[in-house]
Amino acid sequence: MQNNISRWDIFCTVIDNYGDIGVCWRLARQLADEYDADIRLWVDNLDSFSHLCPTIVTDADVQHLEGMQIRRWRPDFPTVDVADIVIEAFACELPASYVEAMAERKIAPIWINLEYLSAEDWVDDSHLLASPHKHHPLKKHFFFPGFTPTTGGLIRERDLLSVRSAFDESDADKFLAGLGVPPRDGTEIRVSLFCYDNAMLPELLQEWADGPDRIRVLVTPGAPARQVGDWLGEQLLPGTQLCRNKLTVQGLPFLSQSGYDRLLWACDINFVRGEDSFVRAQWAQRPFVWQIYPQTENTHLIKLEAFLTRYLQNFPESETVKRFWQRWNGSGEIGASWRDFVAVRASLELHTKVWVGQLDRTRNLADNLVRFVFGK
Ligand code: TRH
């Protein structure tokens, strides 16, 4: 699209946690930075947004940030000019008055519903299907992120992988020192922990405390810090460091998105969740463990298997990794599966680099969106 400045409206409702706004914010910034897109981002919950981006003014209806306009999406939606491209993130429903205004435009805007990420096979067939509006001459296109060239791809900024490659051990030590993490003590394994409520966590913490390796777990705020604090019997605040035998846990503050990326690059193993941290852990090219967002009737386990099958193809130790991920997302004894997992971490790191090499051959989500919109 270079040279065609276009106006984009991105609509985001925060269902829970940080993933919805996390994805929209990264995408908005990439479209603005790399494609000169003129972005207006509508968000219904600026409090959640301010965790990822502390400069957000949580009670401002209109504000400008990094070359974009950020609008508080309130129920009394104002009359505004409709953009050329309208992204409705994760099936959030657009304001009725806005849809009517879309229908009144001489040239209908391109209307895209950005879907959740899944590695399931059906995604390739559903990507870019269109659905006509019941009453208006408008068409909505379903845009599916994914892991294959026939999906919408993954969010990956143009220079992400080169900046990641240039980030070496000494950058990692410097970055972690800024968070109060002391220099690595011998063979200590550094782990970052970002998860939902997880019944497996107490047993895993005990395994880490009693196991043979020195482990330092950097614990993100919210559900992870609360659960670790419950296990310790004392609160784990940002900056606090507590030890139990071989295990040291350290509370972290909530980091900016680029700070969180660096945390993933600096740790040896990353526990991630949801959607955006799960993708960023892949770009980090370190062994990672995903806690998928739980859904009713365990439908999330189908998504989990679909990803494991793609990611672990041709990895000789795939069963070891699968078993540990399945335990982390379910039930059963986790200690032994951790010991097996940590034993293969060097080969898993190499495999993860190969996996990222394959993903990198497909285009990224912003690029695919722009090509779709401008028919390239
Ligand atoms: O927060 P999540 O669980 O988000 C979501 C939501 O639950 C959403 O409703 C659901 O549909 C989706 O998961 C699947 O996990 P996620 O997606 O990893 O988003 C977290 C965001 O927070 C991500 O952008 C990284 C960011 N983050 C920081 O910027 N700093 C931090 O310190 C941490 C821990 C996270």
Side-chain angles (χ1 to χ4, degrees), residues 16-20 116 196 255 257 273 275-277 293:
D16 58 5
N17 306 320
Y18 306 108
D20 307 288
Y116 286 113
Y196 301 113
L255 304 171
Q257 280 188 323
R273 73 184 201 191
E275 179 161 327
D276 189 56
S277 58
Y293 186 75

Side-chain angles (χ1 to χ4, degrees), residues 4-297:
N4 290 333
I5 295 190
S6 50
R7 290 186 309 119
W8 299 60
D9 268 331
I10 302 179
F11 287 86
C12 172
T13 52
V14 174
I15 297 171
D16 58 5
N17 306 320
Y18 306 108
D20 307 288
I21 184 58
V23 167
C24 290
W25 181 227
R26 283 202 206 271
L27 178 63
R29 275 186 299 173
Q30 190 184 355
L31 288 169
D33 287 353
E34 297 178 15
Y35 299 92
D36 276 343
D38 178 1
I39 302 278
R40 195 161 54 176
L41 174 60
W42 299 85
V43 184
D44 71 341
N45 181 337
L46 295 181
D47 287 329
S48 286
F49 193 178
S50 69
H51 279 94
L52 303 168
C53 179
T55 44
I56 284 287
V57 179
T58 53
D59 59 356
D61 283 340
V62 184
Q63 57 198 297
H64 292 89
L65 201 66
E66 302 189 25
M68 283 167 277
Q69 195 183 125
I70 313 293
R71 299 291 294 254
R72 180 148 62 140
W73 180 1
R74 294 157 45 130
D76 52 338
F77 196 79
T79 305
V80 291
D81 275 354
V82 169
D84 308 310
I85 302 118
V86 179
I87 299 189
E88 164 186 311
F90 312 122
C92 67
E93 210 175 311
L94 297 185
S97 62
Y98 188 87
V99 175
E100 270 160 34
M102 282 165 73
E104 278 161 19
R105 258 182 66 135
K106 249 198 210 134
I107 301 175
I110 298 177
W111 184 2
I112 292 163
N113 180 38
L114 176 64
E115 292 284 350
Y116 286 113
L117 172 63
S118 173
E120 291 162 288
D121 288 337
W122 59 263
V123 166
D124 297 66
D125 297 329
S126 305
H127 178 54
L128 297 185
L129 288 184
S131 149
H133 193 277
K134 271 194 216 140
H135 313 297
H136 296 303
L138 292 169
K139 237 197 275 174
K140 179 157 48 176
H141 303 269
F142 295 91
F143 202 92
F144 281 86
F147 299 91
T148 65
T150 43
T151 64
L154 300 170
I155 295 184
R156 175 174 48 78
E157 299 77 10
R158 195 175 284 152
D159 62 353
L160 179 72
L161 294 181
S162 54
V163 178
R164 163 66 190 99
S165 309
F167 187 90
D168 60 17
E169 276 295 308
S170 80
D171 294 317
D173 288 342
K174 258 186 254 156
F175 172 77
L176 292 176
L179 295 173
V181 178
R184 199 194 286 269
D185 176 3
T187 53
E188 180 184 76
I189 301 173
R190 289 168 170 168
V191 172
S192 78
L193 180 67
F194 183 43
C195 60
Y196 301 113
D197 282 338
N198 191 317
M200 294 291 108
L201 185 55
E203 192 187 328
L204 187 57
L205 290 165
Q206 197 61 52
E207 168 66 29
W208 286 339
D210 298 341
D213 301 309
R214 296 181 64 78
I215 302 208
R216 176 176 296 269
V217 182
L218 303 174
V219 185
T220 58
R226 179 176 35 74
Q227 293 173 90
V228 173
D230 289 346
W231 178 77
L232 289 164
E234 49 190 306
Q235 214 182 348
L236 185 67
L237 296 169
T240 321
Q241 186 177 300
L242 295 162
C243 295
R244 295 289 183 272
N245 302 330
K246 289 288 180 68
L247 170 66
T248 304
V249 291
Q250 187 167 343
L252 292 180
F254 202 89
L255 304 171
S256 67
Q257 280 188 323
S258 76
Y260 182 68
D261 281 347
R262 278 153 186 78
L263 177 74
L264 298 174
W265 304 350
C267 285
D268 303 308
I269 300 174
N270 295 302
F271 284 72
V272 291
R273 73 184 201 191
E275 179 161 327
D276 189 56
S277 58
F278 160 61
V279 171
R280 305 311 277 194
Q282 293 171 60
W283 301 139
Q285 298 167 66
R286 299 284 197 195
F288 66 101
V289 188
W290 181 32
Q291 185 178 7
I292 189 167
Y293 186 75
Q295 289 174 294
T296 48
E297 293 170 21

